[in-house]
């Protein structure tokens, strides 16, 4: 299985490490970031220099590099910041609630070596990557009550459920996967042809592995539908499903296999980096969508991918040769039809919501959420984000349901081989109120209702028994502590350190 695979990356030896001329500035920044003043908000700082990766915390550090045999050579000084990489920590929900805002010494950082290494494989990687603490509330810097982005287990932990034809029924099981494993597993489930290489991979940039034991290779579905519930805390989702508050998710959990410890997002555990990871099986440092925003040294420009203005063209930053699940389907069945609803990572899809924008059109979005099904009025009215996300998610469902019926707007569609539905409401609500809030629960209920609409459309299409489904999120969501403020940007400026900070935590020197 996946969990243990820490295969050094193909790109090792390339990527980015701190340049000689920036050593002094980097040391000055580290002195500030690892000072006691910032201890409550900085778990650790990651870097790559002198041919090795480093994780540095206030009371210890570890240097590591691949040992050439699938493991790592490590040198530890003081306390090892990456000592605990367990995937099951703070799960299920009561364990998370009993240990809110864990200190880094009590926290876990799953697959940390692999995660740090893949990030610095990118030539656009920062000089320093600051990992904020679980408690850190940076609402003053544009953050929220609920947060993600860290390497820690709660912020990395996305739910992962897979069910239907060709999937073994195991229910909720106490085990973990990685988001890089999702696309290869779905490609194998569909029966896509493996690449002509020695490793039996399904996608050209694949870092993940097929989770073989959840699949029944004697059965192949005609259709696979994927649901992404952005920013959904896995413990919260599984708990609501078990309590009957998310009956459609529960149906998938009961008939399929749900990874109780989740599927771990890749670093940085942010939206578009991990949407792309789910759909390509590659880490952000390898597929090219490094973060929601980063700095490209090659062109001397800031790249912003995750904003409404840039979503339609975000995939131009995908590295050449990186394949999506849509591409894998088409390589096997050139005439197969695939569809992507409400998803910026849509490369290779025959139908995509973002095609409307690229054609210079606006897709038919309702003016307001008034009267739409599965919208909790109590939160639609006061919350602008809840309202906007409800409208957008409703539009996505209309497209998915229309395509499954054979008609959407004025066009006809064949039955897809792969249909992808992305929902944004859960992220908006879990950011706004934190993952354990009423607004978060309302968002899960609303999204569950929308999933139900898609399941009903599959049934009406007469292919429910010939279909498989998977549900995933792009990262976890952790409740921050409003008392835990602080801003490393201010501390660095006061110390006279000149640095460019992208995405809050990607520090670039000399640019
Ligand atoms: Zn997200």
């Amino acid at each position: 299985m996946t969990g243990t695979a820490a295969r050094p990356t193909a790109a090792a030896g390339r990527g980015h490490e701190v340049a000689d001329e920036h050593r002094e500035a980097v040391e000055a920044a580290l002195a500030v970031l690892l000072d006691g003043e910032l201890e409550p908000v900085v778990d650790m700082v990651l870097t790559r220099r002198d041919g090795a990766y480093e994780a540095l915390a206030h009371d210890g550090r570890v240097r590591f590099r691949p040992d050439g045999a699938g493991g790592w050579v490590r040198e530890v000084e003081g306390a090892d910041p990456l000592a605990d990489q367990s995937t099951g920590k703070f799960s299920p929900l009561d364990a998370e609630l009993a240990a809110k805002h864990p200190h880094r010494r009590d926290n876990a950082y799953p697959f940390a070596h692999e995660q740090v290494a893949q990030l610095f494989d990118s030539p656009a990687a920062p000089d320093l990557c600051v990992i904020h603490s679980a408690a850190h509330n940076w609402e003053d810097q544009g953050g929220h009550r609920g947060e993600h982005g860290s390497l820690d287990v709660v912020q990395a932990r996305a739910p992962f459920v897979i069910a239907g034809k060709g999937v073994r029924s195991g229910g909720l099981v106490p085990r973990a996967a990685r988001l890089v494993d999702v696309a290869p597993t779905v490609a194998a489930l569909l029966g896509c042809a493996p690449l002509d290489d020695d490793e039996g991979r399904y996608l050209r940039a694949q870092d993940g592995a097929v989770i073989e034991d959840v699949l029944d290779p004697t059965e192949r579905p005609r259709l696979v539908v994927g649901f992404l519930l952005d920013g959904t805390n896995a413990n919260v989702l599984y708990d609501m499903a078990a309590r009957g508050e998310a009956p459609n998710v529960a149906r998938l959990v009961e008939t399929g296999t749900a990874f109780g410890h989740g599927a771990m997002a890749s670093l940085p555990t942010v939206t578009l980096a991990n949407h792309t990871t789910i759909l390509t099986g590659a880490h952000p440092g390898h597929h090219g969508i490094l973060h929601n925003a980063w700095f490209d040294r090659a062109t001397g420009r800031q790249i912003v991918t995750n904003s409404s203005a840039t979503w339609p063209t975000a995939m131009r930053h995908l590295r050449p040769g990186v394949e999506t699940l849509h591409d894998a389907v088409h390589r096997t069945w050139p005439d197969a039809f695939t569809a992507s609803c409400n998803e910026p990572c849509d490369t290779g899809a025959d139908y995509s919501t973002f095609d409307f924008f690229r054609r210079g059109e606006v897709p038919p979005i309702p003016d307001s959420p008034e009267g739409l099904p599965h919208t909790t009025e109590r939160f639609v009215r006061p919350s602008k984000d809840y309202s906007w996300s409800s409208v957008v998610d409703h539009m996505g469902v209309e497209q998915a349901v229309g395509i499954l019926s054979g008609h959407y707007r004025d066009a006809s569609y064949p039955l897809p081989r792969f249909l992808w539905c992305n929902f944004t409401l859960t992220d908006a609500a879990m950011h706004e109120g934190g993952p354990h809030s009423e607004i978060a629960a309302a968002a899960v209920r609303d999204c569950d209702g929308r999933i139900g609409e898609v399941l009903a459309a599959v049934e009406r299409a007469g292919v429910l028994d010939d279909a498989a489904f998977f549900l995933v999120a792009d990262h976890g969501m952790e409740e921050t502590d409003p008392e835990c403020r602080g801003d490393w940007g201010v501390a660095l400026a006061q110390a006279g350190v000149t640095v460019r900070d992208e995405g809050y935590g990607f520090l670039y020197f000399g640019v």
Side-chain angles (χ1 to χ4, degrees), residues 9-372:
T9 56
R14 297 202 299 274
H16 178 72
E17 63 171 55
V18 174
D20 285 343
E21 65 265 37
H22 301 137
R23 270 168 200 274
E24 236 172 89
V26 162
E27 280 298 344
L30 284 170
V32 175
L33 292 164
L34 302 176
D35 183 76
E37 286 279 302
L38 284 175
E39 210 267 351
V41 304
V42 175
D43 263 13
M44 66 184 82
V45 183
L46 309 173
T47 190
R48 182 186 187 186
R49 50 185 180 174
D50 302 320
Y53 307 100
E54 290 182 60
L56 305 101
H58 298 77
D59 57 357
R61 54 187 61 185
V62 57
R63 264 176 74 79
F64 57 98
R65 53 193 158 76
D67 67 1
W72 303 89
V73 182
R74 314 176 88 244
E75 298 161 51
V76 180
E77 268 177 61
D80 179 356
L82 304 179
D84 189 345
Q85 300 189 20
S86 56
T87 54
K89 208 155 192 181
F90 311 132
S91 175
L93 182 61
D94 54 358
E96 181 179 330
L97 293 174
K100 280 191 194 172
H101 327 307
H103 187 272
R104 68 190 149 77
R105 278 192 293 270
D106 304 316
N107 218 330
Y109 304 91
F111 307 110
H113 299 121
E114 175 188 355
Q115 291 301 346
V116 175
Q118 61 81 18
L119 175 66
F120 291 99
D121 282 341
S122 169
D127 293 298
L128 299 177
C129 172
V130 183
I131 301 296
H132 61 82
S133 68
H136 186 212
N137 180 294
W138 44 290
E139 289 181 77
D140 300 335
Q141 292 88 44
H144 306 85
R145 183 67 192 263
E147 269 311 336
H148 57 90
S150 165
L151 189 60
D152 83 35
V153 63
V154 175
Q155 299 193 23
R157 177 183 284 137
F160 180 38
V161 186
I162 184 163
K165 189 173 185 181
V167 180
R168 295 187 199 278
S169 176
L172 183 63
V173 292
R175 58 186 279 194
R178 303 168 300 174
L179 287 185
V180 287
D181 302 323
V182 172
T185 302
V186 172
L189 169 64
L190 273 161
C192 290
L195 291 168
D196 190 15
D197 68 6
D198 294 339
E199 297 179 63
R201 298 177 311 144
Y202 289 90
L203 299 125
R204 293 212 184 277
Q206 182 181 319
D207 288 308
V210 176
I211 309 170
E212 305 272 1
D213 64 348
V214 301
L215 303 181
D216 173 358
T218 64
E219 298 224 292
R220 301 279 189 217
R222 166 65 183 78
L223 159 70
V224 172
V225 180
F227 299 105
L228 191 152
L229 270 59
D230 200 301
T232 297
N233 175 299
N235 289 334
V236 168
L237 184 74
Y238 295 147
D239 178 70
M240 287 184 68
R243 289 190 289 106
E245 290 220 53
N248 293 298
V249 174
R251 192 171 153 193
L252 298 180
V253 172
E254 284 157 17
T255 58
T257 298
F259 286 73
H261 297 166
M264 297 302 162
S266 294
L267 186 69
T269 59
V270 301
T271 294
L272 204 51
N274 277 285
H275 280 236
T276 309
T277 287
I278 293 163
L279 284 155
T280 63
H283 287 300
H286 300 162
H287 61 54
I289 311 297
L290 189 62
H291 201 317
N292 291 333
W294 70 91
F295 187 80
D296 182 19
R297 291 185 187 84
T299 58
R301 285 170 42 192
Q302 183 197 37
I303 311 275
V304 177
T305 52
N306 194 41
S307 82
S308 53
T310 55
W311 282 329
T313 55
M315 288 304 123
R316 70 166 64 141
H317 302 291
L318 209 57
R319 276 208 191 152
V322 174
E323 287 183 328
T324 66
L325 265 174
H326 302 283
D327 294 322
V329 167
H330 287 130
R331 193 156 29 75
T332 307
W333 303 284
D335 298 330
F337 172 70
T338 72
S340 173
C341 297
N342 200 16
E343 171 58 61
C345 180
D346 59 357
T347 302
D350 298 297
Y351 173 92
S352 171
T353 305
F354 284 93
D355 277 335
F356 282 97
F357 296 101
R358 288 188 289 261
R359 288 195 302 258
E361 300 168 24
V362 176
I365 304 175
D367 291 336
S368 101
E370 294 288 325
L372 298 181

Side-chain angles (χ1 to χ4, degrees), residues 360-399:
E361 300 168 24
V362 176
I365 304 175
D367 291 336
S368 101
E370 294 288 325
L372 298 181
H374 317 298
T375 50
T376 302
E377 262 192 52
R378 185 182 148 204
F379 295 114
V380 155
R381 289 178 192 278
S383 167
K384 214 172 114 217
D385 285 348
Y386 201 101
S387 173
W388 183 84
S389 296
S390 296
V391 166
V392 169
D393 288 357
H394 174 83
M395 172 202 70
V397 167
E398 269 190 342
Q399 294 177 15

